[in-house]
Amino acid sequence: MMAEGSQPTERVDDPFGDMLGISFIAYGEGISRCELDIKKELISPRGSLHGGVISSVIDYGMGSAVYATLAEGEMCATIEMKIHFIKSPKSGRLVCDSRVIDRHPRIAIAEAELRNGDDLIAKGIGTFYIHGEWQPMPTVKE
């Protein structure tokens, strides 16, 4: 899915992604590739990688692919996501290849494949809302 020669852009502050250990190894117009080393803190009680981690990596990958298509001042937010869980990895390095498959002024659709070596772990598809710069919610006066 990834185009050769795509390079990550500047690093952004991302405490959640840092906590999980997600790193981007390629990023470009409508595409991204990120990876995550499976560590014991991410393992579920049943002994395999937690499904929430798989979902988060796919969401990060797809969101970053959409983010690469945005104009200055635009932001995006996941509004729907479907994950097909195929295998339950216990160790190794996950690589997530994502791409935008359709882009409109306010909506984008992206897809992702998550692999552990040659094994397909999960596939995802998501819908993203594209909007102007984030503004904090107004506070309610009592």
Side-chain angles (χ1 to χ4, degrees), residues 81-98:
M81 185 170 70
K82 180 175 183 173
I83 308 291
H84 294 276
F85 296 94
I86 299 164
K87 289 190 176 178
S88 299
K90 296 177 178 13
S91 63
R93 173 173 289 167
L94 300 178
V95 176
C96 182
D97 285 323
S98 303

Side-chain angles (χ1 to χ4, degrees), residues 30-48:
I31 58 170
S32 76
R33 174 177 281 169
C34 61
E35 63 184 12
L36 176 132
D37 288 322
I38 298 173
K39 52 190 177 185
K40 66 178 180 169
E41 296 85 1
L42 304 177
I43 301 296
S44 73
R46 61 181 212 117
S48 61

Side-chain angles (χ1 to χ4, degrees), residues 4 6-7 39-40 56 67 73-74 93 107 112 124 137-139:
E4 293 301 318
S6 300
Q7 297 298 318
K39 52 190 177 185
K40 66 178 180 169
S56 292
Y67 190 82
E74 287 184 322
R93 173 173 289 167
I107 296 289
M137 294 291 292
T139 56

